[in-house]
Amino acid sequence: MAIERTLSIIKPDGVERNLVGKVIGRFEEEGLLPVAMRMVHLSQREAEGFYAVHKERPFFDSLVEFMTRSPVVVMVLEGDDAIARNREIMGATDPAEADEGTLRKLYASGIEENTVHGSDSPENAAKEINYFFSDVQVFPRG
């Protein structure tokens, strides 16, 4: 297995419902270790930039509104096959389709307010990590 890094976001609904510790604890239990983390209240410009890939999608405006309504926790997770593992732990985007025990099945209230975000590929992980963190802000675990 390859050690990878991926971006994870605990979205406004997760922060508002005091799930930060539970979500981070779950990642750590599963062997994904935070190597960078901060809480930020995204501006409209920051949210639009991060989700620019979805700009033409009908849900873009509501996604930006949701992601800017209150703070989020952005973090870099590191571990064996971190990208795929994170996505397994999160579960399907639609919590109604997520496997039992996944974060979205446990905590999400709907397809838009689904508690967590995770990178979907090595290329996107690199871009997303660089969107929120510089190299000097990410610490190796060891």
Side-chain angles (χ1 to χ4, degrees):
M1 291 189 210
I3 299 292
E4 293 178 328
R5 288 181 172 170
T6 189
L7 184 82
S8 176
I9 301 175
I10 303 174
K11 295 180 179 182
D13 60 313
V15 173
E16 292 164 357
R17 294 184 298 133
N18 300 314
L19 297 173
V20 173
K22 289 179 180 180
V23 171
I24 293 170
R26 177 65 184 280
F27 288 137
E28 289 179 324
E29 288 169 11
E30 299 281 346
L32 296 180
L33 305 177
V35 294
M37 183 183 327
R38 65 188 176 105
M39 181 177 277
V40 60
H41 196 149
L42 296 175
S43 69
Q44 182 170 340
R45 185 177 59 82
E46 289 168 325
E48 287 173 346
F50 184 75
Y51 287 107
V53 66
H54 299 301
K55 187 155 183 63
E56 303 304 320
R57 308 287 296 271
F59 59 82
F60 179 76
D61 289 338
S62 64
L63 176 60
V64 168
E65 183 177 336
F66 166 58
M67 291 300 291
T68 59
R69 86 174 182 209
S70 62
V72 299
V73 174
V74 293
M75 66 187 123
V76 179
L77 300 175
E78 181 177 271
D80 288 332
D81 295 321
I83 297 165
R85 288 290 301 130
N86 183 31
R87 296 191 67 76
E88 288 173 26
I89 295 163
M90 288 189 316
T93 302
D94 183 347
E97 297 175 8
D99 290 340
E100 291 297 325
T102 61
L103 293 173
R104 288 176 172 157
K105 189 67 160 187
L106 290 169
Y107 303 125
S109 59
I111 195 165
E112 285 195 5
E113 295 196 17
N114 60 13
T115 310
V116 288
H117 164 89
S119 305
D120 63 1
S121 69
E123 298 78 22
N124 283 338
K127 282 193 284 191
E128 292 179 352
I129 289 168
N130 288 331
Y131 194 83
F132 289 107
F133 299 97
S134 71
D135 287 341
V136 298
Q137 294 174 308
V138 180
F139 301 96
R141 295 291 288 248

